[in-house]
Each structure stands twice: as C-alpha cells, then as structure tokens.
Amino acid sequence: KQEVTQIPAALSVPEGENLVLNCSFTDSAIYNLQWFRQDPGKGLTSLLLIQSSQREQTSGRLNASLDKSSGRSTLYIAASQPGDSATYLCAVPTGTASKLTFGTGTRLQVTL
Amino acid sequence: NAGVTQTPKFRVLKTGQSMTLLCAQDMNHEYMYWYRQDPGMGLRLIHYSVGEGTTAKGEVPDGYNVSRLKKQNFLLGLESAAPSQTSVYFCASSQGTSLWETQYFGPGTRLLVL
C-alpha cells in the first residue's frame, strides 16, 4: 500500500529565507507527483505536477524535484514571503488511475 | 469561470438525519471526486466518477452514496448521518486520469454531526 509522508508537520521561517519541504513515498512505481497548497479554510490549489520522466518542475519561486529511486520529492521555495504561509501537500496516483494518495501536509508560516 | 463550487458551505446535522452535498464544475471535466479531510488523516477519497452516469467507490465509501446524472454535477448523499461523518468535505474535478492531469478543488463543506 502506498504511503506518503511529509516531514516536518509544521515549519516557521522568517521572511526572505529559502526553504525546502519534503515528501517521501513508499512505492517508487509512480506516474507523477503533485504538490498542492491549502490556505486555512479553503480548498487545495495545484502548484506543480512532475511526471515520472522529469526530475524537476519550476513555477516562479517554486521548484519541485523528484527522485523516484529514493522515493523522495522536495519543494523548494525561494525568498519566502508571508503570503506563502499555508499548508503544502504532496500526492501521488495509486491503485486505479483516479485515486490520489495524499500526505498529511506541512504547515508553513513565514513571519515578518 | 467559477471552477468548482460546493453547496452548502457549512451544515449542522443531528445523528440520523440525511442530507445531500452538491458539487458543480464549469470546466467540462470528465472526472469528479469527493474527499473528506480529517485532522491527522489527510484527504481520503470517498467516491469518484469518470464520466456522466458513472460512479465508483474510493477508500472510505461506507455511509455515503453518490450520483452523477449530469456531467457538471456530482452529488454526495448521507442517508443517516453519524458523528463519525463530522468532517470537511471537498469536491474536485479533472479533465482526465490522475496519471496525467491535476485535480481542481472546491472550497469545501464543513459538516458537524451532533
């Protein structure tokens, strides 16, 4: 059974700092890995989708990497801002093609 | 373009009552999903649909039923609510399978069952 883990569960950093969020998965036979952002009381917003054939995907200040063999993905946020404060979740397709297995997320707070 | 909308935003039920949660999407997506999110448990898939008129069970389907009579709508029903169904429910949609496509989420429905 695929298990997705995100450590740490919470992180607080000062504004301007570069930071890395981690995601690990137990079954390396994945088609892609997806990163989402969730603001308090809101739904999830897709940030990046990395196909298994890719090693990196970038969007603005965000860079996601994928290492299938080690079962890990990282989300790098450059020059963090208070507006980046949110919970970040990673997910991988498992079982039937319609099922995403989510990690429990990392709650990020960027302080002034 | 409203994306994915959910009705209602918040609801309180008594044990044994029934209700229907409505999800609507205006992106002409084929796939639609219902998740529940609980503290420490992450998001778990309840039911999903790969097209109009189709439904399938997800990870935690017991106590819920769904219908997809129209492509743009996906309804989640609770026939006899239980306190264990207190949760935040999210609907999502995608153009195709999660092997290639990301999912677009609604804002959520907070349900409290007393």
Side-chain angles (χ1 to χ4, degrees):
Chain A
K1 177 185 176 184
Q2 177 73 275
E3 293 184 2
V4 181
T5 305
Q6 293 185 248
I7 295 174
L11 181 64
S12 181
V13 301
E15 182 180 15
E17 193 164 298
N18 302 325
L19 60 101
V20 173
L21 305 179
N22 298 298
C23 173
S24 60
F25 44 94
T26 54
D27 185 351
S28 62
I30 61 170
Y31 280 85
N32 65 58
L33 187 138
Q34 306 186 27
W35 282 95
F36 293 85
R37 167 184 173 140
Q38 185 176 25
D39 292 288
K42 301 289 179 63
L44 281 69
T45 300
S46 177
L47 296 174
L48 292 164
L49 185 156
I50 315 175
Q51 294 292 355
S52 60
S53 57
Q54 299 175 306
R55 292 188 64 85
E56 284 190 1
Q57 190 71 261
T58 298
S59 175
R61 293 183 293 108
L62 305 180
N63 176 276
S65 66
L66 176 62
D67 184 344
K68 279 183 56 178
S69 61
S70 67
R72 293 181 183 176
S73 176
T74 61
L75 180 65
Y76 175 84
I77 302 177
S80 58
Q81 303 171 358
D84 295 329
S85 298
T87 296
Y88 292 81
L89 300 100
C90 61
V92 295
T94 53
T96 66
S98 300
K99 184 182 185 307
L100 280 177
T101 296
F102 285 85
T104 52
T106 294
R107 188 173 69 254
L108 172 67
Q109 182 176 13
V110 180
T111 58
L112 293 170
Chain B
N1 214 351
V4 180
T5 58
Q6 293 183 232
T7 309
K9 289 184 172 56
F10 178 70
R11 184 77 182 268
V12 179
L13 287 180
K14 295 181 180 178
T15 296
Q17 286 185 320
S18 63
M19 77 165 294
T20 300
L21 283 67
L22 171 63
C23 175
Q25 54 94 3
D26 61 3
M27 296 174 283
N28 202 35
H29 284 170
E30 293 292 334
Y31 287 51
M32 296 186 75
Y33 316 81
W34 276 107
Y35 293 90
R36 58 178 290 172
Q37 185 176 38
D38 303 290
M41 302 289 289
L43 278 103
R44 293 179 291 170
L45 183 65
I46 304 172
H47 286 282
Y48 65 97
S49 168
V50 299
E52 181 179 318
T54 75
T55 63
K57 294 180 180 179
E59 186 181 357
V60 288
D62 293 342
Y64 305 95
N65 57 74
V66 288
S67 65
R68 183 112 181 258
L69 299 180
K70 293 183 178 180
K71 185 177 183 179
Q72 63 268 34
N73 295 338
F74 196 28
L75 278 63
L76 178 71
L78 287 73
E79 289 189 348
S80 180
S84 61
Q85 294 178 305
T86 293
S87 188
V88 182
Y89 291 87
F90 288 99
C91 176
S93 70
S94 63
Q95 181 57 48
T97 166
S98 297
L99 296 181
W100 311 112
E101 304 286 344
T102 192
Q103 296 180 14
Y104 296 81
F105 282 77
T109 294
R110 280 161 179 71
L111 177 64
L112 175 62
V113 183
L114 301 174

